[in-house]
């Protein structure tokens, strides 16, 4: 690990320019040990507050410093946003959840092995270097939203659930603003190193959830082992049924794109319809129309179809 300057911030509104933010450090410290990231200065925001889950209007404000373990077990979250609690509990070991923060979870970097290996070409790590993952081992890589410059997938479970819940990210900086989580992440395009819409001097202050949607909520994660493994595919679903028809449904997908993936056309095809195997098959067709495997991850296409279909059966049958 290379030498760096350590700064402890008192507030989020006066962060030093050019310093890398550290909160729980569960991802950043690993990256620094591997010299994937070599910041000259770290600014510690762990004592800046924003560590509460609070009712805000009809919804919820989750401070950026709320630990994943506290959020997963929060009674309001468990009762009204269970898809979020389930995603968090599926996300990592208990020890990591005790350290990891809400803001840090959203900002974690890809687990692409070519990104972590500094001997390999990686446009996300070194813009213009190339993408060694293309033509390499691609089992855990994306099938949506990729570019010729990057095929890495986003690792967060929490972000997938929050995307299905229509969360918004509260950003502080020269001008405070709120951004829908679905728009917070950037697709790689020709600059995979720029992963979010955050500008210099900005930081995540909180995540806002809207009023509880009710209905049936599920998070299903398919992975290589039952504990402490990243998703091959995951599905977060929030469904409200009225008189046997799907009145509202939100779906987000993980392990398959450079960001939590949401396809509104799939939701539109399901809304207002009576649940049936044919309807669910059509929804999967719409979702997978934009998918493209990289060889080693071609299995994700049928796996995502089966997982989506199983979740749709679950959230619609559970209502009855």
């Amino acid at each position: 690990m290379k030498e760096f300057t350590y700064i402890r911030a008192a507030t989020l509104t006066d962060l030093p320019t050019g310093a890398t933010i550290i909160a729980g450090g569960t991802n950043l410290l690993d990256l620094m040990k591997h010299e994937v990231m070599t910041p000259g200065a770290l600014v510690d925001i762990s004592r800046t507050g924003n560590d509460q889950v609070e009712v805000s209007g009809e919804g919820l404000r989750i401070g950026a410093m709320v630990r994943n373990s506290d959020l997963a077990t929060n009674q309001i979250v468990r009762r009204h946003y269970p898809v979020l609690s389930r995603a968090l509990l599926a996300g990592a070991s208990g020890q990591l959840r005790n350290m990891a923060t809400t803001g840090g979870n959203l900002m974690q970097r890809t687990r692409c092995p070519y990104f972590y290996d500094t001997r390999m070409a990686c446009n996300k790590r070194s813009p213009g270097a190339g993408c060694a993952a293309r033509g390499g081992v691609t089992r855990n890589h994306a099938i949506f939203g990729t570019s010729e410059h990057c095929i890495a997938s986003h690792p967060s479970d929490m972000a997938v659930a929050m995307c299905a819940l229509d969360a918004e990210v509260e950003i502080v900086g020269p001008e405070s603003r709120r951004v829908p989580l679905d728009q917070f992440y950037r697709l790689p395009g020709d600059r995979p190193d720029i992963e979010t819409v955050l500008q210099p001097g900005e930081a995540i202050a909180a995540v806002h959830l809207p009023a509880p949607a009710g209905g049936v909520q599920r998070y299903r994660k398919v992975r290589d082992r039952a504990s402490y493994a990243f998703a091959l595919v995951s599905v977060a679903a929030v469904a409200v049924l009225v008189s046997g028809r799907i009145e509202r449904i939100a779906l987000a997908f993980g392990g398959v794109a450079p960001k939590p993936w949401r396809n509104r056309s799939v939701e539109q095809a399901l809304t207002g319809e009576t649940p049936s195997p044919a309807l669910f098959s059509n929804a999967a067709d719409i979702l997978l129309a934009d998918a493209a495997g990289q060889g080693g991850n071609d299995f994700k296409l049928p796996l995502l179809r089966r997982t989506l279909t199983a979740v749709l059966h679950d959230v619609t049958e559970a209502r009855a």
Side-chain angles (χ1 to χ4, degrees), residues 127-152:
C131 177
R134 286 194 167 276
V137 178
T138 58
R139 175 175 173 78
N140 293 314
H141 287 74
I143 58 175
F144 298 112
T146 62
S147 75
E148 62 179 299
H149 302 282
C150 184
I151 59 173

Side-chain angles (χ1 to χ4, degrees), residues 4-234:
F4 58 90
T5 301
Y6 174 81
I7 306 162
R8 182 178 293 174
T11 69
L12 288 177
T13 56
D14 190 25
L15 300 179
T17 302
T20 298
I21 292 174
I22 184 169
T26 56
N27 184 207
L28 177 59
L29 291 180
D30 284 343
L31 293 170
M32 292 175 65
K33 290 174 183 176
H34 288 283
E35 296 190 358
V36 175
M37 294 180 67
T38 55
L42 289 184
V43 54
D44 182 353
I45 64 169
S46 62
R47 295 168 177 82
T48 58
N50 286 298
D51 58 354
Q52 300 295 317
V53 179
E54 305 167 306
V55 175
S56 176
E58 295 183 347
L60 212 60
R61 182 185 187 272
I62 303 165
M65 288 305 305
V66 173
R67 304 289 175 173
N68 286 179
S69 54
D70 293 333
L71 185 58
T73 57
N74 180 276
Q75 290 303 307
I76 298 176
V77 173
R78 291 183 64 186
R79 183 178 303 112
H80 297 295
Y81 307 94
V83 65
L84 176 56
S85 179
R86 291 174 180 177
L88 285 162
L89 292 173
S93 68
Q95 294 92 331
L96 286 175
R97 288 196 298 271
N98 287 338
M99 287 299 297
T101 64
T102 298
N105 190 306
L106 294 181
M107 291 297 294
Q108 64 182 301
R109 310 295 300 275
T110 181
R111 264 52 179 193
C112 172
Y114 299 96
F115 171 70
Y116 268 78
D117 189 343
T118 56
R119 299 168 299 177
M120 297 292 182
C122 176
N123 290 314
K124 187 179 287 292
R125 189 181 64 247
S126 302
C131 177
R134 286 194 167 276
V137 178
T138 58
R139 175 175 173 78
N140 293 314
H141 287 74
I143 58 175
F144 298 112
T146 62
S147 75
E148 62 179 299
H149 302 282
C150 184
I151 59 173
S153 60
H154 193 269
S156 176
D157 292 285
M158 183 194 78
V160 177
M162 285 185 167
C163 189
L165 291 168
D166 294 316
E168 291 186 340
V169 182
E170 179 186 333
I171 299 171
V172 293
E175 293 185 9
S176 297
R177 57 193 174 116
R178 279 168 61 164
V179 177
L181 181 58
D182 193 33
Q183 299 173 24
F184 177 73
Y185 296 105
R186 291 167 45 110
L187 292 177
D190 59 0
R191 287 299 305 271
D193 57 308
I194 305 175
E195 298 173 340
T196 73
V197 299
L198 286 177
Q199 300 296 316
E202 292 186 330
I204 298 173
V207 175
H208 291 260
L209 299 182
V216 180
Q217 302 182 22
R218 295 288 186 269
Y219 184 74
R220 181 168 296 195
K221 178 178 181 178
V222 181
R223 47 189 165 175
D224 285 325
R225 59 183 185 273
S227 175
Y228 193 36
F230 296 98
L232 296 171
V233 305
S234 66

